Amino acid sequence: MGLESRRSWTETLADGYYRPEWSWVARRGGRTVARCAFWGMPGEDHPFSLDWFELGQEPDRLEIGAALLTAALRELRTAEGARPEYHVFLPPGWRELDGVREATEDRLAAAAAAGYVPFIERFNYTWALADGVPERSTRLVFREVDDAEATAICRAAAQGSLDGYTGRDVARHGLDEAARLMIEELAGMPSPREWWRAAYTPEGAQVGLIVPARNPARAVVGYIAVVPAQRGHGYVDDLLAETTAMLVAEGAEEIGADTDLGNRPMAAAFARAGYRNTAIRVVLQ
């Protein structure tokens, strides 16, 4: 019925990321004709996103899907009281894949009828040891960083950022609050705070911030930022190389990362560092 069906609902339920009360089905004549599941962290009281939405083969499947989502969204909200985002996980080049494109467009149309609107499209990347560890920077110095300086770097880097979530937070809350929210999110990741590093030139000029991290599944590039005054010098390659090397030193054999479709400089840096685009995530609000 959909790409998400490659995942096991029962295993994801057992791991605590799905809940029976977050999983909905549409029934007709004793048959299941559509279903959806919302994802959240184990132990949390609210879901974070909709990430499984399957339409059957009924002639009116778009209307059925929209009605199913509308019913679920009357009951489900995130911890902040918002409607959960819809995350659609797709293979690279999905628009050129027959069958995948049509099924995805159906789901997007049904979601739109339930009130969802397009937000961003993100490239998901995977790096493995076989891809080769990038050479560490010889032109930057990395030091441990306290919360005050990390927040200041985040605030500076948010100006002119090509990241969709950062731009949305700045528009909603302003630079100060957007930076605070970023630091709060990064600090909540299940990896040591001591891994964070600020980057400087040998002369002491501040360049940016890196957050090598782990999510519940694997090592990840948690955050990379270059302050506006240092953009245009290719420092993103230095920051990504250091992040990768630090995670390898901590035992990582695989590293995940992502960036927005519109953030071409970051996408190019991932490609240069041997990160492979392994999936696409379309996000609707």
Side-chain angles (χ1 to χ4, degrees), residues 157-187:
Q159 301 176 63
S161 173
L162 297 175
D163 181 83
Y165 283 104
T166 299
R168 183 184 70 180
D169 285 346
V170 170
R172 286 180 175 178
H173 309 297
L175 284 169
D176 290 340
E177 181 65 6
R180 189 196 68 78
L181 290 170
M182 174 61 73
I183 293 299
E184 181 180 77
E185 178 182 349
L186 293 169

PDB file of all heavy atoms in Angstrom, residues 157-187:
ATOM      1  N   ALA A 157      24.533  32.460  13.231  1.00  0.00           N
ATOM      2  CA  ALA A 157      24.398  31.611  12.046  1.00  0.00           C
ATOM      3  C   ALA A 157      22.975  31.571  11.521  1.00  0.00           C
ATOM      4  O   ALA A 157      22.753  31.277  10.337  1.00  0.00           O
ATOM      5  CB  ALA A 157      24.885  30.202  12.363  1.00  0.00           C
ATOM      6  N   ALA A 158      21.995  31.856  12.379  1.00  0.00           N
ATOM      7  CA  ALA A 158      20.597  31.841  11.939  1.00  0.00           C
ATOM      8  C   ALA A 158      20.293  32.958  10.951  1.00  0.00           C
ATOM      9  O   ALA A 158      19.327  32.872  10.185  1.00  0.00           O
ATOM     10  CB  ALA A 158      19.677  31.949  13.152  1.00  0.00           C
ATOM     11  N   GLN A 159      21.105  33.994  10.946  1.00  0.00           N
ATOM     12  CA  GLN A 159      20.906  35.099  10.017  1.00  0.00           C
ATOM     13  C   GLN A 159      21.303  34.669   8.609  1.00  0.00           C
ATOM     14  O   GLN A 159      22.445  34.331   8.350  1.00  0.00           O
ATOM     15  CB  GLN A 159      21.734  36.305  10.459  1.00  0.00           C
ATOM     16  CG  GLN A 159      21.395  36.799  11.853  1.00  0.00           C
ATOM     17  CD  GLN A 159      22.293  37.930  12.295  1.00  0.00           C
ATOM     18  OE1 GLN A 159      22.287  39.000  11.684  1.00  0.00           O
ATOM     19  NE2 GLN A 159      23.059  37.712  13.354  1.00  0.00           N
ATOM     20  N   GLY A 160      20.335  34.628   7.731  1.00  0.00           N
ATOM     21  CA  GLY A 160      20.592  34.194   6.365  1.00  0.00           C
ATOM     22  C   GLY A 160      20.711  32.702   6.197  1.00  0.00           C
ATOM     23  O   GLY A 160      21.165  32.231   5.145  1.00  0.00           O
ATOM     24  N   SER A 161      20.314  31.912   7.207  1.00  0.00           N
ATOM     25  CA  SER A 161      20.418  30.457   7.113  1.00  0.00           C
ATOM     26  C   SER A 161      19.527  29.922   5.998  1.00  0.00           C
ATOM     27  O   SER A 161      18.418  30.414   5.769  1.00  0.00           O
ATOM     28  CB  SER A 161      20.015  29.821   8.452  1.00  0.00           C
ATOM     29  OG  SER A 161      19.942  28.408   8.337  1.00  0.00           O
ATOM     30  N   LEU A 162      20.011  28.898   5.296  1.00  0.00           N
ATOM     31  CA  LEU A 162      19.243  28.228   4.253  1.00  0.00           C
ATOM     32  C   LEU A 162      18.444  27.048   4.793  1.00  0.00           C
ATOM     33  O   LEU A 162      17.781  26.347   4.027  1.00  0.00           O
ATOM     34  CB  LEU A 162      20.186  27.750   3.144  1.00  0.00           C
ATOM     35  CG  LEU A 162      20.945  28.856   2.392  1.00  0.00           C
ATOM     36  CD1 LEU A 162      21.935  28.234   1.399  1.00  0.00           C
ATOM     37  CD2 LEU A 162      19.989  29.795   1.683  1.00  0.00           C
ATOM     38  N   ASP A 163      18.502  26.811   6.105  1.00  0.00           N
ATOM     39  CA  ASP A 163      17.769  25.709   6.726  1.00  0.00           C
ATOM     40  C   ASP A 163      16.316  26.128   6.963  1.00  0.00           C
ATOM     41  O   ASP A 163      16.050  27.175   7.561  1.00  0.00           O
ATOM     42  CB  ASP A 163      18.427  25.333   8.056  1.00  0.00           C
ATOM     43  CG  ASP A 163      17.720  24.169   8.723  1.00  0.00           C
ATOM     44  OD1 ASP A 163      18.001  23.014   8.379  1.00  0.00           O
ATOM     45  OD2 ASP A 163      16.858  24.425   9.608  1.00  0.00           O
ATOM     46  N   GLY A 164      15.390  25.301   6.508  1.00  0.00           N
ATOM     47  CA  GLY A 164      13.979  25.649   6.603  1.00  0.00           C
ATOM     48  C   GLY A 164      13.475  25.787   8.023  1.00  0.00           C
ATOM     49  O   GLY A 164      12.722  26.717   8.349  1.00  0.00           O
ATOM     50  N   TYR A 165      13.862  24.857   8.908  1.00  0.00           N
ATOM     51  CA  TYR A 165      13.399  24.931  10.292  1.00  0.00           C
ATOM     52  C   TYR A 165      13.956  26.163  10.986  1.00  0.00           C
ATOM     53  O   TYR A 165      13.255  26.840  11.740  1.00  0.00           O
ATOM     54  CB  TYR A 165      13.803  23.670  11.052  1.00  0.00           C
ATOM     55  CG  TYR A 165      12.938  22.474  10.754  1.00  0.00           C
ATOM     56  CD1 TYR A 165      13.392  21.445   9.929  1.00  0.00           C
ATOM     57  CD2 TYR A 165      11.663  22.364  11.287  1.00  0.00           C
ATOM     58  CE1 TYR A 165      12.608  20.346   9.649  1.00  0.00           C
ATOM     59  CE2 TYR A 165      10.862  21.270  11.017  1.00  0.00           C
ATOM     60  CZ  TYR A 165      11.334  20.262  10.191  1.00  0.00           C
ATOM     61  OH  TYR A 165      10.539  19.172   9.911  1.00  0.00           O
ATOM     62  N   THR A 166      15.234  26.478  10.735  1.00  0.00           N
ATOM     63  CA  THR A 166      15.820  27.666  11.345  1.00  0.00           C
ATOM     64  C   THR A 166      15.098  28.917  10.868  1.00  0.00           C
ATOM     65  O   THR A 166      14.743  29.796  11.676  1.00  0.00           O
ATOM     66  CB  THR A 166      17.315  27.764  10.999  1.00  0.00           C
ATOM     67  OG1 THR A 166      17.980  26.608  11.508  1.00  0.00           O
ATOM     68  CG2 THR A 166      17.933  29.009  11.600  1.00  0.00           C
ATOM     69  N   GLY A 167      14.861  29.010   9.570  1.00  0.00           N
ATOM     70  CA  GLY A 167      14.147  30.168   9.046  1.00  0.00           C
ATOM     71  C   GLY A 167      12.756  30.295   9.623  1.00  0.00           C
ATOM     72  O   GLY A 167      12.299  31.406   9.935  1.00  0.00           O
ATOM     73  N   ARG A 168      12.078  29.174   9.800  1.00  0.00           N
ATOM     74  CA  ARG A 168      10.739  29.214  10.375  1.00  0.00           C
ATOM     75  C   ARG A 168      10.775  29.684  11.821  1.00  0.00           C
ATOM     76  O   ARG A 168       9.964  30.516  12.241  1.00  0.00           O
ATOM     77  CB  ARG A 168      10.101  27.822  10.310  1.00  0.00           C
ATOM     78  CG  ARG A 168       8.664  27.774  10.818  1.00  0.00           C
ATOM     79  CD  ARG A 168       8.108  26.375  10.827  1.00  0.00           C
ATOM     80  NE  ARG A 168       8.743  25.549  11.847  1.00  0.00           N
ATOM     81  CZ  ARG A 168       8.434  24.276  12.071  1.00  0.00           C
ATOM     82  NH1 ARG A 168       7.513  23.680  11.311  1.00  0.00           N
ATOM     83  NH2 ARG A 168       9.027  23.592  13.012  1.00  0.00           N
ATOM     84  N   ASP A 169      11.740  29.182  12.599  1.00  0.00           N
ATOM     85  CA  ASP A 169      11.833  29.589  14.002  1.00  0.00           C
ATOM     86  C   ASP A 169      12.180  31.065  14.142  1.00  0.00           C
ATOM     87  O   ASP A 169      11.662  31.757  15.024  1.00  0.00           O
ATOM     88  CB  ASP A 169      12.870  28.734  14.732  1.00  0.00           C
ATOM     89  CG  ASP A 169      12.364  27.331  15.022  1.00  0.00           C
ATOM     90  OD1 ASP A 169      11.144  27.104  14.912  1.00  0.00           O
ATOM     91  OD2 ASP A 169      13.189  26.459  15.356  1.00  0.00           O
ATOM     92  N   VAL A 170      13.063  31.559  13.273  1.00  0.00           N
ATOM     93  CA  VAL A 170      13.403  32.984  13.322  1.00  0.00           C
ATOM     94  C   VAL A 170      12.174  33.828  12.995  1.00  0.00           C
ATOM     95  O   VAL A 170      11.901  34.830  13.659  1.00  0.00           O
ATOM     96  CB  VAL A 170      14.558  33.303  12.348  1.00  0.00           C
ATOM     97  CG1 VAL A 170      14.746  34.811  12.217  1.00  0.00           C
ATOM     98  CG2 VAL A 170      15.848  32.653  12.830  1.00  0.00           C
ATOM     99  N   ALA A 171      11.416  33.418  11.978  1.00  0.00           N
ATOM    100  CA  ALA A 171      10.222  34.175  11.594  1.00  0.00           C
ATOM    101  C   ALA A 171       9.174  34.159  12.704  1.00  0.00           C
ATOM    102  O   ALA A 171       8.478  35.155  12.932  1.00  0.00           O
ATOM    103  CB  ALA A 171       9.640  33.607  10.301  1.00  0.00           C
ATOM    104  N   ARG A 172       9.065  33.037  13.393  1.00  0.00           N
ATOM    105  CA  ARG A 172       8.045  32.918  14.449  1.00  0.00           C
ATOM    106  C   ARG A 172       8.457  33.576  15.754  1.00  0.00           C
ATOM    107  O   ARG A 172       7.644  34.216  16.426  1.00  0.00           O
ATOM    108  CB  ARG A 172       7.768  31.430  14.722  1.00  0.00           C
ATOM    109  CG  ARG A 172       6.954  30.712  13.679  1.00  0.00           C
ATOM    110  CD  ARG A 172       6.764  29.249  14.076  1.00  0.00           C
ATOM    111  NE  ARG A 172       5.894  28.534  13.161  1.00  0.00           N
ATOM    112  CZ  ARG A 172       5.611  27.234  13.266  1.00  0.00           C
ATOM    113  NH1 ARG A 172       6.163  26.520  14.242  1.00  0.00           N
ATOM    114  NH2 ARG A 172       4.806  26.643  12.398  1.00  0.00           N
ATOM    115  N   HIS A 173       9.733  33.418  16.126  1.00  0.00           N
ATOM    116  CA  HIS A 173      10.144  33.767  17.482  1.00  0.00           C
ATOM    117  C   HIS A 173      11.240  34.822  17.578  1.00  0.00           C
ATOM    118  O   HIS A 173      11.493  35.335  18.669  1.00  0.00           O
ATOM    119  CB  HIS A 173      10.655  32.506  18.206  1.00  0.00           C
ATOM    120  CG  HIS A 173       9.729  31.342  18.134  1.00  0.00           C
ATOM    121  ND1 HIS A 173       8.461  31.339  18.682  1.00  0.00           N
ATOM    122  CD2 HIS A 173       9.885  30.099  17.563  1.00  0.00           C
ATOM    123  CE1 HIS A 173       7.878  30.172  18.468  1.00  0.00           C
ATOM    124  NE2 HIS A 173       8.717  29.400  17.796  1.00  0.00           N
ATOM    125  N   GLY A 174      11.922  35.128  16.476  1.00  0.00           N
ATOM    126  CA  GLY A 174      13.057  36.025  16.533  1.00  0.00           C
ATOM    127  C   GLY A 174      14.356  35.262  16.741  1.00  0.00           C
ATOM    128  O   GLY A 174      14.368  34.074  17.087  1.00  0.00           O
ATOM    129  N   LEU A 175      15.476  35.953  16.541  1.00  0.00           N
ATOM    130  CA  LEU A 175      16.780  35.305  16.578  1.00  0.00           C
ATOM    131  C   LEU A 175      17.111  34.720  17.941  1.00  0.00           C
ATOM    132  O   LEU A 175      17.628  33.598  18.042  1.00  0.00           O
ATOM    133  CB  LEU A 175      17.864  36.300  16.165  1.00  0.00           C
ATOM    134  CG  LEU A 175      17.971  36.616  14.672  1.00  0.00           C
ATOM    135  CD1 LEU A 175      18.899  37.806  14.453  1.00  0.00           C
ATOM    136  CD2 LEU A 175      18.471  35.398  13.895  1.00  0.00           C
ATOM    137  N   ASP A 176      16.859  35.464  19.015  1.00  0.00           N
ATOM    138  CA  ASP A 176      17.242  34.992  20.346  1.00  0.00           C
ATOM    139  C   ASP A 176      16.539  33.680  20.696  1.00  0.00           C
ATOM    140  O   ASP A 176      17.173  32.721  21.150  1.00  0.00           O
ATOM    141  CB  ASP A 176      16.926  36.054  21.404  1.00  0.00           C
ATOM    142  CG  ASP A 176      17.835  37.262  21.306  1.00  0.00           C
ATOM    143  OD1 ASP A 176      18.923  37.142  20.709  1.00  0.00           O
ATOM    144  OD2 ASP A 176      17.462  38.330  21.819  1.00  0.00           O
ATOM    145  N   GLU A 177      15.232  33.659  20.484  1.00  0.00           N
ATOM    146  CA  GLU A 177      14.475  32.455  20.844  1.00  0.00           C
ATOM    147  C   GLU A 177      14.788  31.307  19.898  1.00  0.00           C
ATOM    148  O   GLU A 177      14.847  30.144  20.325  1.00  0.00           O
ATOM    149  CB  GLU A 177      12.974  32.761  20.838  1.00  0.00           C
ATOM    150  CG  GLU A 177      12.081  31.587  21.227  1.00  0.00           C
ATOM    151  CD  GLU A 177      12.263  31.112  22.669  1.00  0.00           C
ATOM    152  OE1 GLU A 177      13.011  31.758  23.435  1.00  0.00           O
ATOM    153  OE2 GLU A 177      11.651  30.093  23.029  1.00  0.00           O
ATOM    154  N   ALA A 178      15.009  31.603  18.625  1.00  0.00           N
ATOM    155  CA  ALA A 178      15.369  30.545  17.674  1.00  0.00           C
ATOM    156  C   ALA A 178      16.673  29.884  18.092  1.00  0.00           C
ATOM    157  O   ALA A 178      16.809  28.652  18.032  1.00  0.00           O
ATOM    158  CB  ALA A 178      15.490  31.118  16.268  1.00  0.00           C
ATOM    159  N   ALA A 179      17.647  30.684  18.531  1.00  0.00           N
ATOM    160  CA  ALA A 179      18.925  30.124  18.985  1.00  0.00           C
ATOM    161  C   ALA A 179      18.731  29.296  20.247  1.00  0.00           C
ATOM    162  O   ALA A 179      19.314  28.205  20.387  1.00  0.00           O
ATOM    163  CB  ALA A 179      19.925  31.241  19.239  1.00  0.00           C
ATOM    164  N   ARG A 180      17.914  29.787  21.168  1.00  0.00           N
ATOM    165  CA  ARG A 180      17.672  29.039  22.407  1.00  0.00           C
ATOM    166  C   ARG A 180      17.019  27.698  22.104  1.00  0.00           C
ATOM    167  O   ARG A 180      17.393  26.661  22.692  1.00  0.00           O
ATOM    168  CB  ARG A 180      16.785  29.855  23.351  1.00  0.00           C
ATOM    169  CG  ARG A 180      16.655  29.244  24.749  1.00  0.00           C
ATOM    170  CD  ARG A 180      15.495  29.846  25.525  1.00  0.00           C
ATOM    171  NE  ARG A 180      14.205  29.476  24.954  1.00  0.00           N
ATOM    172  CZ  ARG A 180      13.619  28.292  25.138  1.00  0.00           C
ATOM    173  NH1 ARG A 180      14.231  27.338  25.852  1.00  0.00           N
ATOM    174  NH2 ARG A 180      12.448  28.038  24.596  1.00  0.00           N
ATOM    175  N   LEU A 181      16.045  27.689  21.185  1.00  0.00           N
ATOM    176  CA  LEU A 181      15.368  26.448  20.830  1.00  0.00           C
ATOM    177  C   LEU A 181      16.329  25.453  20.182  1.00  0.00           C
ATOM    178  O   LEU A 181      16.248  24.248  20.430  1.00  0.00           O
ATOM    179  CB  LEU A 181      14.199  26.746  19.880  1.00  0.00           C
ATOM    180  CG  LEU A 181      12.996  27.466  20.505  1.00  0.00           C
ATOM    181  CD1 LEU A 181      12.033  27.919  19.415  1.00  0.00           C
ATOM    182  CD2 LEU A 181      12.287  26.568  21.509  1.00  0.00           C
ATOM    183  N   MET A 182      17.243  25.960  19.348  1.00  0.00           N
ATOM    184  CA  MET A 182      18.217  25.078  18.719  1.00  0.00           C
ATOM    185  C   MET A 182      19.110  24.426  19.765  1.00  0.00           C
ATOM    186  O   MET A 182      19.347  23.209  19.737  1.00  0.00           O
ATOM    187  CB  MET A 182      19.055  25.863  17.716  1.00  0.00           C
ATOM    188  CG  MET A 182      20.202  25.060  17.109  1.00  0.00           C
ATOM    189  SD  MET A 182      19.657  23.593  16.178  1.00  0.00           S
ATOM    190  CE  MET A 182      18.982  24.406  14.720  1.00  0.00           C
ATOM    191  N   ILE A 183      19.626  25.211  20.697  1.00  0.00           N
ATOM    192  CA  ILE A 183      20.495  24.659  21.742  1.00  0.00           C
ATOM    193  C   ILE A 183      19.730  23.660  22.606  1.00  0.00           C
ATOM    194  O   ILE A 183      20.251  22.594  22.961  1.00  0.00           O
ATOM    195  CB  ILE A 183      21.070  25.799  22.608  1.00  0.00           C
ATOM    196  CG1 ILE A 183      22.022  26.659  21.780  1.00  0.00           C
ATOM    197  CG2 ILE A 183      21.777  25.249  23.831  1.00  0.00           C
ATOM    198  CD1 ILE A 183      23.224  25.928  21.228  1.00  0.00           C
ATOM    199  N   GLU A 184      18.488  23.961  22.906  1.00  0.00           N
ATOM    200  CA  GLU A 184      17.666  23.043  23.709  1.00  0.00           C
ATOM    201  C   GLU A 184      17.470  21.716  22.989  1.00  0.00           C
ATOM    202  O   GLU A 184      17.576  20.641  23.592  1.00  0.00           O
ATOM    203  CB  GLU A 184      16.323  23.699  24.006  1.00  0.00           C
ATOM    204  CG  GLU A 184      15.382  22.858  24.855  1.00  0.00           C
ATOM    205  CD  GLU A 184      14.075  23.580  25.114  1.00  0.00           C
ATOM    206  OE1 GLU A 184      13.225  23.617  24.193  1.00  0.00           O
ATOM    207  OE2 GLU A 184      13.896  24.102  26.222  1.00  0.00           O
ATOM    208  N   GLU A 185      17.205  21.781  21.690  1.00  0.00           N
ATOM    209  CA  GLU A 185      17.010  20.548  20.917  1.00  0.00           C
ATOM    210  C   GLU A 185      18.290  19.732  20.862  1.00  0.00           C
ATOM    211  O   GLU A 185      18.273  18.509  21.056  1.00  0.00           O
ATOM    212  CB  GLU A 185      16.547  20.896  19.512  1.00  0.00           C
ATOM    213  CG  GLU A 185      16.353  19.680  18.614  1.00  0.00           C
ATOM    214  CD  GLU A 185      15.931  20.041  17.207  1.00  0.00           C
ATOM    215  OE1 GLU A 185      15.579  21.209  16.963  1.00  0.00           O
ATOM    216  OE2 GLU A 185      15.972  19.145  16.342  1.00  0.00           O
ATOM    217  N   LEU A 186      19.411  20.390  20.599  1.00  0.00           N
ATOM    218  CA  LEU A 186      20.687  19.678  20.515  1.00  0.00           C
ATOM    219  C   LEU A 186      21.074  19.069  21.860  1.00  0.00           C
ATOM    220  O   LEU A 186      21.587  17.948  21.925  1.00  0.00           O
ATOM    221  CB  LEU A 186      21.777  20.628  20.030  1.00  0.00           C
ATOM    222  CG  LEU A 186      21.637  21.128  18.590  1.00  0.00           C
ATOM    223  CD1 LEU A 186      22.625  22.261  18.314  1.00  0.00           C
ATOM    224  CD2 LEU A 186      21.821  19.992  17.587  1.00  0.00           C
ATOM    225  N   ALA A 187      20.821  19.795  22.939  1.00  0.00           N
ATOM    226  CA  ALA A 187      21.162  19.294  24.271  1.00  0.00           C
ATOM    227  C   ALA A 187      20.320  18.083  24.654  1.00  0.00           C
ATOM    228  O   ALA A 187      20.724  17.290  25.516  1.00  0.00           O
ATOM    229  CB  ALA A 187      21.001  20.402  25.305  1.00  0.00           C
TER     230      ALA A 187
END
